[in-house]
Amino acid sequence: MRVTITGATGRIGRHIVAALKARGDEVTVLSRDPDRATEQLGVEAFAWNIKEDAAPKEALKGRDAIVHLAGEDVGQRWNDKVKAEILDSRERGTRNIVHTIFDTKPRPRALICASAMGYYGARKDELIDESVGPGSDWLAGVVARWERQVETAKIGTRAVMVRTGLVLDAGGGALEKMLPPFKAGIGGPIGSGKQYMPWIHLDDLVGIYIAAIDNEAFHGPINASAPEPVTNKAFAKALGRAINRPAVAPVPGFTVKLLYGEMSQVVLTGARMVPGRAAELGYTFQHTDLDEALRDTLG
């Protein structure tokens, strides 16, 4: 396979690059700093500014798949500037990729784009598969606009949107931020603890991307989360067990709001997302039990 990846030096991208290289695929990446990307990843890299330029044609021409991961981190305190960056990097950045796809001959066969469970908004305990429509909050609107850009590539190119839950990765993301208070014995559920946390082991997230590259039956939205989502309270208990620490000190919702402002809604509401289509398409999860997945992640 010949695959081009954006956001390849990020924590998910690095693992996808390694998995593709391990099986002998030809990997090219797009980066603001191509020299650094080549040094880190050991692959050919092309310069690309996600928001300002169309992607370079020579990096997309005739590729079996484009994996688009690049975008501003949602997991930070939001203000008007940050929110504009989050929207712009996803909407305009994806549009720039799609415009190059339309202008490239032969076209890439597939565009596989990162997306987020934020598409669904706050749904309490409603069971959510890919048939459920978008939520009504700000982040849901951003993700919906992001995905609409991907869908415009469908004429002649297979388009996939990977709606991702909480990724179990001790080296980055939400789990890395949770670990210090839990290791100090002051971790616990956040807010009511009743909100659902769709989770996925890093191995399975990489596995779903690889399956989406290989399997032409993958198209449209794919929920990337383990088959059994858990509540925040259950997740906190499992994390405590994994590191042999108590997990009984609740974090009040108002404290989270003080720390993260509007972004706290993502942590305090959640969604009971399940991977309906991945299972239907034959993907077999490596990690379905949260306790086992955390033990494996934390080593």
Side-chain angles (χ1 to χ4, degrees), residues 4 16 18 24 29 43 59 63 70 93 99 115 126 139 150 157 170 198 211-212 218 230 248 288:
T4 295
I16 295 175
V29 304
V43 298
R63 309 301 283 186
H99 283 178
S115 186
E126 176 187 355
L139 183 59
V150 182
T157 298
F218 276 70
V230 298
V248 294
T288 58

Side-chain angles (χ1 to χ4, degrees), residues 50-80:
I50 183 174
K51 293 187 296 180
E52 296 181 5
D53 307 315
K57 290 183 186 179
E58 60 268 35
L60 273 59
K61 183 178 180 181
R63 309 301 283 186
D64 293 295
I66 311 301
V67 177
H68 181 37
L69 306 172
E72 181 71 17
D73 183 15
V74 172
Q76 56 181 306
R77 187 179 180 89
W78 296 346
N79 55 37
D80 289 345

Side-chain angles (χ1 to χ4, degrees), residues 11-12 15 115 117 162-178 197-206 209 224-226 235 273 290 293-294 297:
R11 62 191 182 93
I12 307 302
H15 290 278
S115 186
M117 72 174 190
V162 183
R163 294 174 181 165
T164 307
L166 168 69
V167 181
L168 300 190
D169 176 13
L175 182 59
E176 182 189 40
K177 294 174 183 176
M178 293 179 195
M197 293 180 63
W199 61 273
I200 186 167
H201 192 288
L202 179 60
D203 290 348
D204 279 314
L205 181 57
V206 172
Y209 273 100
S225 61
F235 187 94
M273 184 175 79
L290 178 58
L294 284 168
T297 298

